Amino acid sequence: MNCPRCASPSTKEQRQKTILGYRTFRCTVCKHFFHERTGTPFNYLEYPTDIVLLWRLRGILSLRDIAEMFLERGWTFTHEAVRDWEDRFVPLLADQLQGKRHGQRGEILVCRCAPL
């Protein structure tokens, strides 16, 4: 992983992990410590990335239902937090999905049969 401060590829993974379980690294050039979410839009969230993105898969549920569903799993946040995640991350997800679409035009098949 490249250092987000100096872009050096010479980084070393550290033994300790963050509270959320992310790997930490140390740059051998600038001596900067960082973790695997540093430099991403998810850097300053206090919840794991998979929890934040999982709400999008539950598109049928209301925002309050999503917050209640995660409360049963031990994660406490409000429906307003889910709304903020939606405002913040849906455009990023849409850009990622549109970038991966490689639409190909299909051939139009024209029937050259005699009319009935």
Side-chain angles (χ1 to χ4, degrees), residues 41-103:
F42 302 100
N43 190 23
Y44 295 105
L45 289 177
E46 56 189 75
Y47 301 101
T49 307
D50 55 344
I51 296 292
V52 174
L53 294 178
L54 188 61
W55 64 266
R56 195 63 192 139
L57 300 175
R58 309 284 186 208
I60 302 169
L61 301 174
S62 71
L63 300 178
R64 291 180 193 272
D65 289 340
I66 293 170
E68 185 176 319
M69 179 181 68
F70 282 111
L71 179 62
E72 292 174 0
R73 296 180 180 184
W75 294 97
T76 306
F77 49 83
T78 65
H79 68 281
E80 288 296 325
V82 179
R83 185 188 316 257
D84 291 340
W85 296 342
E86 186 173 303
D87 291 342
R88 186 172 174 187
F89 299 118
V90 165
L92 297 173
L93 293 172
D95 290 342
Q96 286 290 323
L97 292 174
Q98 286 176 355
K100 291 183 179 182
R101 280 183 65 192
H102 298 292

Side-chain angles (χ1 to χ4, degrees), residues 7 9 14 25 32-34 45 64 72 91 100 113:
Q14 303 296 299
F25 299 90
H32 179 69
F33 285 96
F34 60 97
L45 289 177
R64 291 180 193 272
E72 292 174 0
K100 291 183 179 182
C113 303

